[in-house]
């Protein structure tokens, strides 16, 4: 007898020899070994892959050959894939299936394939499922430089014009850090950049954009706030100062002006007074009271920043200080052991109280 499981499928020649101590002979005959059919795995596995990715499968996932022959893919084809969403690369020993078109498509298609091992062939149909993936947002366009005037209108940008979510989810926008001089407010997909009063210059504002779930995308908004010539101002129309009689007062006039642009200022003082005198060096004003005089002295201060001149009133109040009375001896008469004096007592603050 011949054990067929020990033979490979196909035709083989078998030789039978007989012999004794004086005689031998042989006989050859052919045997046709019929192959066992492929055994299909049950249940048939489904194939799955993520959106815009690929997967590789081998024949042993679907069938095996009892005869030990290598199982290969003779062919494979996606059924009714009119938009070429999936592609197949067949190297006989494996299939590579890739999602190449309509990147946000997900669903299930059928794939017809033919497996073979020697002369044995099997036709199979399996499901191929593309699984949805929550993709990171993508930047579709670069944000151009946003320009505005100092103390002018705020900058408003709709981020959805530059960034999109592949799944169409709403965008979530946050500011990467604080920017001195800028107030930045995000509301859903719209941001408002509001420069503070008198702020000007250029800045690159970094924003983080996501769909609220996936990794954030970093984008940049270049802004340029053009400076304007800000007028100088006095802090008040009238500057009021006080000092004591016979005293000295030093004042920095820059403390009474608003000079946003840090211009070089030129001061001048107009007016005269018998009560006090003054000297002016750049912005330092020195007031000196004349001896024993008090009351109110008024001047006009002018300041120029190179483009314009403004004025303010300067009122200086000199407060009276009590003076010691003075004694003046007018006559000295000596008569023997007697000395006679005639003196006069006076007070510059007046005779009241003497």
């Amino acid at each position: 007898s011949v054990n067929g499981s020990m033979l490979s499928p196909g035709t083989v020649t078998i030789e039978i020899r007989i012999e004794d101590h004086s005689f031998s002979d042989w006989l050859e005959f052919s045997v046709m070994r019929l192959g066992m059919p492929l055994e299909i795995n049950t249940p048939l596995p489904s194939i799955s892959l993520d959106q815009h990715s690929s997967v590789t499968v081998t024949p042993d996932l679907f069938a095996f050959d009892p005869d030990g022959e290598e199982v290969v893919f003779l062919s494979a084809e996606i059924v009714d894939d009119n938009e070429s969403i999936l592609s197949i690369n067949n190297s006989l020993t494996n299939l590579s299936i890739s999602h190449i078109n309509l990147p946000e498509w997900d669903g299930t298609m059928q794939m017809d394939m033919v497996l073979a091992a020697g002369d044995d062939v099997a036709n199979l149909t399996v499901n191929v499922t593309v699984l949805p993936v929550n993709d990171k947002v993508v930047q579709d366009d670069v944000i151009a430089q946003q320009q505005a005037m100092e103390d002018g209108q705020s900058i408003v940008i709709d981020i959805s014009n530059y960034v999109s979510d592949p799944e169409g989810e709403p965008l979530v926008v946050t500011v990467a850090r604080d920017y001195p001089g800028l107030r930045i407010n995000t509301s859903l997909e719209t941001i408002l950049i509001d420069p503070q009063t008198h702020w000007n210059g250029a800045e690159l504002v970094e924003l983080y954009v996501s769909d609220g779930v996936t990794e954030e995308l970093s984008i940049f908004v270049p802004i340029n706030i053009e400076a304007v010539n800000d007028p100088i101002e006095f802090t008040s129309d009238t500057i009021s100062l006080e000092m004591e009689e016979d005293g000295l007062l030093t004042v920095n006039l820059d403390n009474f002006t608003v000079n946003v642009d840090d211009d070089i200022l030129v001061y001048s003082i107009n007016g005269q007074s018998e009560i006090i005198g003054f000297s002016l060096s750049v912005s330092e004003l020195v007031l000196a009271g004349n001896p024993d005089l008090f009351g109110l002295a008024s001047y006009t201060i002018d300041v120029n920043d190179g483009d314009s001149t403004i004025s303010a009133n300067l009122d200086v109040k000199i407060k009276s200080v009590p003076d010691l009375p003075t004694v003046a001896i007018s006559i000295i008469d000596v008569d023997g052991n007697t000395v006679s004096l005639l003196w006069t007592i006076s007070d510059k603050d007046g005779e009241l109280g003497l």
Side-chain angles (χ1 to χ4, degrees), residues 19-34:
E19 62 181 14
D20 61 11
H21 297 290
S22 61
F23 175 79
S24 65
D25 200 359
W26 67 91
L27 174 66
E28 290 183 351
F29 61 93
S30 296
V31 175
M32 174 67 71
R33 166 70 162 86
L34 299 178

Side-chain angles (χ1 to χ4, degrees), residues 4 11 28 30 75 105 107 121 172 226 265 269 286 296 303 327 332 340:
T11 302
E28 290 183 351
S30 296
S75 65
W105 185 91
V121 175
V172 177
E226 186 176 346
L265 303 181
I269 295 183
V286 179
L296 182 65
V303 61
V327 177
I332 301 176
S340 299

Side-chain angles (χ1 to χ4, degrees), residues 121-177:
V121 175
N123 295 287
L124 302 178
T125 299
V126 296
N127 291 329
V128 180
T129 300
V130 178
L131 303 174
V133 174
N134 191 1
D135 295 294
K136 177 180 176 180
V137 299
V138 294
Q139 184 168 1
D140 304 313
D141 199 1
V142 176
I143 301 177
Q145 186 183 74
Q146 306 295 304
Q147 296 185 335
M149 298 295 294
E150 176 187 342
D151 301 330
Q153 294 183 342
S154 301
I155 296 172
V156 179
I157 305 174
D158 187 349
I159 298 300
S160 65
N161 293 331
Y162 306 94
V163 179
S164 62
D165 180 66
E167 288 79 38
E169 295 295 325
L171 300 179
V172 177
V173 185
T174 57
V175 184
R177 62 179 178 87

Side-chain angles (χ1 to χ4, degrees), residues 215-231:
E215 180 184 357
E216 293 176 322
L217 171 71
S218 174
I219 66 172
F220 293 91
V221 180
I223 67 170
N224 182 32
I225 308 300
E226 186 176 346
V228 298
N229 186 15
D230 294 288

Side-chain angles (χ1 to χ4, degrees), residues 257-276:
T257 57
V258 179
N259 182 17
V260 175
D261 296 333
D262 292 328
D263 294 324
I264 297 176
L265 303 181
V266 178
Y267 294 93
S268 61
I269 295 183
N270 301 309
Q272 293 182 345
S273 174
E274 296 179 353
I275 302 176
I276 60 173

